[in-house]
Amino acid sequence: MRALSAGLSLVLTAALVTPASAAVRDDTRYVDPLIGSAGGGNTYPGAVRPFGMISWSPTSTRGDQTNTGAANGYAYDVTRVRGFSLTHVNGAGCHPGAAGDVPIMPHTGAITSSPTADTGDQVYASDFTHADEIAEPGRYRVGLKSGATADLSVTTRAGIGEFTFPAEGSLLFRVSNSLNGSEDAEVTIDPVANTVSGSVLTGAFCGRRANGGVNNQKTYYRLYFTASFDRPITAYGTWVNSELRPGTTTASGGEGYLTGNARAGKGSGGFVSFADNKVTTRVGISYTSAEAAERNLAAEIPKRATVAQIAEEARKAWAKQLRAVEVDGGTADERTIFYTALYHTFLQPNVISDAGRELRYGNFSGWDQYRAQTQLLALLAPDVASTYAQSLLDIARKNGGVWDRWVHITGPTHVMTGDPSAPAIAGMYAMGATDFDVRAAYDSLLHQATVPHPDGLSDKGCPGQCEGQRPNLAEHLRLGYAPHDTCHCWGGAAETLEDAVADHALADLAARLGLPSEELRKRAGWWRNTFNPATGHQQARRADGSWVTPFNPASDQGFAQGSSATYTWMVPHDAQGLAEAMGGKDIAAARLDAFFHRPDGSWATGGDPLRYDPTNEPGIHTPWLYNELGRPHQTQETVRAMAKLVYRTGPNGLPGNDDLGTMSAWYVFAALGLYPRTPSSAELHVSSPMFPKARIAQRGITILAPGAPGIHVDDVRWNGRRQTTPWLPEQFVQRGGVLRVSTATR
């Protein structure tokens, strides 16, 4: 539970135990945006609407203006801020992550030096305490030690902030100070029109990571903004690098994408001062033009609007979005964990199109999202998922037909490995998100999977951001695996496994479209070519067929952000075949037992490369593999154990980087007692639901678990018919109905 003042704590506690209105359900009271803001969850607590373009949230500092106190701008243990930025990414796993564009800082003292010259954030930043901070869906409020306060709310493309000062005060527009820096930035102050406008040219997602990030220190988008005020500007000025220029109205200059001395003291911005001790600021943004930013502001926030009014509209928007799943029963804490996870799932994708234009989305954390988030999005919001799929196709077309594995806004960043667009698109389509040009998407993805691209022979960005999206495809096709020594990829074994999942997904999609899928099915089985019978593990191979040695299942050699012990299970589309390769279902089950438990019998919850790691994506499907081995009671035990042990209330409530809602989506599925059997199928594994009743109204699905929170499933019936397998057919998603899961606590 987030920290509040004593009086506000009592109000919130009372709200938590008050039943929802029978007429219009509102579960926003269970959402705590501070969950995941510590312990590496990398979430942000600021004001945002569902799938919003703007997300107004703090940029923290640990005393270095060329860095940030947290991967995506905010960490609970860092209580000093240098501004409130207009854009954020939820849960990205590198530092700095991305965005954090145009920090706006309320300042209570005189402006006597260039804020960019304050490289240690000693002058133009302020401390705060969590007792003076309130984070709610669509609204963020904080009181600063300087005496200034910020009260922020947003629409989809615009924001409104009420800033107060002990006396007269100023607002700093740090236009060049995005989290990763900037190539260029500009600011214009119009004291007659009472506005500040400008833009920042930036990008560089994961541009500082050790494994290939230097290749990503590049620009791929420009964000435009316009801000207006309800009080007259009484003084103003700009700065460029270390030069303060009082009375000037324009400035420009970027910071570059480096850090420390290579960037310190560079950049530009502007300030405006007010004689009043309170000013309301309206801000519009756009990724297309300054005029579009103005139109977005005019369309979404009236001139006389207040933060309270916009925040109430934001709360209603979130209440409507959260009604995608309505759960009954459970404790207040259990509902807080659930609805906050659902909230985090709906933070992305993000609108990138302007008001009045054809709706389009950006931001695709493919390697992460295809394992849970995109399927859940399609299940709960098929209209959004359909537009998302079309947007990704459009982005690929603009990128020369290349589907990048990690798209920030619309920019290709090449982060991670594999070809995740294929399972993401196939999975969304299987789940019912079908309103997009699926045949064009399939044809384009098939081309990427079958026709080598020149980038596939490049080592730029390797290992973490290799430019080839199907690296050295010709060699992969010749050998039936990605050779570790010549693949131009992060790890040959990981690439082989990821591409096998992608090829299976394309085969599934082809079959749905009535197209040939036999060759793709064959390629989906190439995981066997990196499975070494002598070690019983996935293992990297060289182009000459030899195994990379020495081999250690705890090593990540040949893999990406995971060990062989984890990746060996990454065959969700052929779990039966994997079990056979291991020596049979009993042997596979025994190995799973050792994977999920420490030698003393306790549950493994991370930190051991030989065992399950719930903090990262490559193995998050494995708790459901017991279903494939005829041991569903162990799936039920394992899913529940992981959900209870690593998901909690409070800032440390997420097990790892939320990765654009992926970890949160895992929890939502687990709480419902469901999980995709494969990334490209609508078949759903069954485990034990955590709530006695859940409804997905748009799909006509009701899940009843009268024995909840019982763990062991005694009986599963769909529309009264007993299910004989521990997974549901795709017709369940297509037709809906009542799923009754009888559980016991034995």
Side-chain angles (χ1 to χ4, degrees), residues 581-596:
M582 289 180 170
K585 290 184 178 181
D586 290 343
I587 292 175
R591 288 186 57 174
L592 272 183
D593 292 345
F595 185 61
F596 285 113

Side-chain angles (χ1 to χ4, degrees), residues 1-19 27-34 133-137 141 315 332-333 336:
M1 183 63 66
R2 58 186 178 273
L4 301 168
S5 65
L8 285 169
S9 293
L10 291 173
V11 171
L12 183 59
T13 301
L16 285 174
V17 298
T18 302
D27 289 304
T28 58
R29 66 196 187 285
Y30 294 117
V31 174
D32 180 3
L34 286 168
E133 177 185 43
I134 302 175
E136 301 168 330
R141 289 167 278 182
R315 183 192 62 77
D333 279 354
T336 294

Side-chain angles (χ1 to χ4, degrees), residues 334 337-338 341 643 647 662-672 690:
E334 289 167 342
I337 298 169
F338 179 84
Y647 289 85
T662 302
M663 290 301 180
S664 291
W666 186 98
Y667 184 86
V668 172
F669 271 128
L672 295 175
M690 299 182 198

Side-chain angles (χ1 to χ4, degrees), residues 118-138:
D118 181 27
T119 58
D121 287 328
Q122 298 300 306
V123 179
Y124 297 106
S126 180
D127 296 332
F128 71 95
T129 67
H130 293 298
D132 295 322
E133 177 185 43
I134 302 175
E136 301 168 330

Side-chain angles (χ1 to χ4, degrees), residues 626-638:
Y626 282 114
N627 275 356
E628 304 283 357
L629 303 179
R631 302 185 181 214
H633 65 286
Q634 289 186 264
T635 278
Q636 297 148 22
E637 293 169 354
T638 307

Side-chain angles (χ1 to χ4, degrees), residues 84-108:
F84 299 90
S85 305
L86 301 177
T87 61
H88 292 82
V89 173
N90 171 39
C94 54
H95 185 120
D101 300 317
V102 192
I104 301 172
M105 183 66 187
H107 183 68
T108 58

Side-chain angles (χ1 to χ4, degrees), residues 381-584:
D383 54 337
V384 175
S386 292
T387 305
Y388 190 22
Q390 184 65 46
S391 301
L392 293 175
L393 171 61
D394 294 343
I395 291 169
R397 284 169 167 163
K398 293 179 181 178
N399 193 29
V402 175
W403 297 69
D404 197 87
R405 62 180 74 93
W406 217 119
V407 175
H408 180 214
I409 314 301
T410 61
T413 73
H414 321 314
V415 171
M416 298 310 298
T417 188
D419 189 8
S421 296
I425 293 294
M428 288 191 285
Y429 189 79
M431 283 287 188
T434 59
D435 189 15
F436 66 100
D437 191 346
V438 61
R439 180 58 193 267
Y442 170 79
D443 288 344
S444 182
L445 287 164
L446 181 65
H447 185 272
Q448 178 157 296
T450 55
V451 179
H453 189 282
D455 285 351
L457 297 177
S458 171
D459 281 323
K460 288 184 178 180
C462 284
Q465 295 171 192
C466 300
E467 292 192 342
Q469 300 304 295
R470 286 274 188 160
N472 204 349
L473 178 60
E475 192 73 343
H476 195 156
L477 295 176
R478 182 180 74 85
L479 295 171
Y481 62 91
H484 187 65
D485 51 340
T486 61
C487 70
H488 305 284
C489 65
W490 191 334
E495 187 69 34
T496 301
L497 292 166
E498 293 285 355
D499 289 351
V501 171
D503 290 338
H504 177 81
L506 288 177
D508 276 356
L509 187 55
R512 296 181 199 283
L513 299 176
L515 301 171
S517 60
E518 292 78 10
E519 181 61 26
L520 290 165
R521 297 278 180 210
K522 177 183 175 182
R523 288 171 49 171
W526 285 355
W527 63 268
R528 296 176 182 273
N529 296 335
T530 47
F531 183 87
N532 186 348
T535 63
H537 284 83
Q538 287 289 331
Q539 190 171 340
R541 296 180 76 174
R542 301 181 183 89
D544 64 6
S546 63
W547 299 102
V548 174
T549 57
F551 172 72
N552 182 347
S555 172
D556 65 355
Q557 187 176 34
F559 301 95
Q561 291 192 0
S563 65
S564 171
T566 293
Y567 268 92
T568 291
W569 300 105
M570 215 200 88
V571 191
H573 59 287
D574 193 6
Q576 306 286 342
L578 178 62
E580 292 171 5
M582 289 180 170

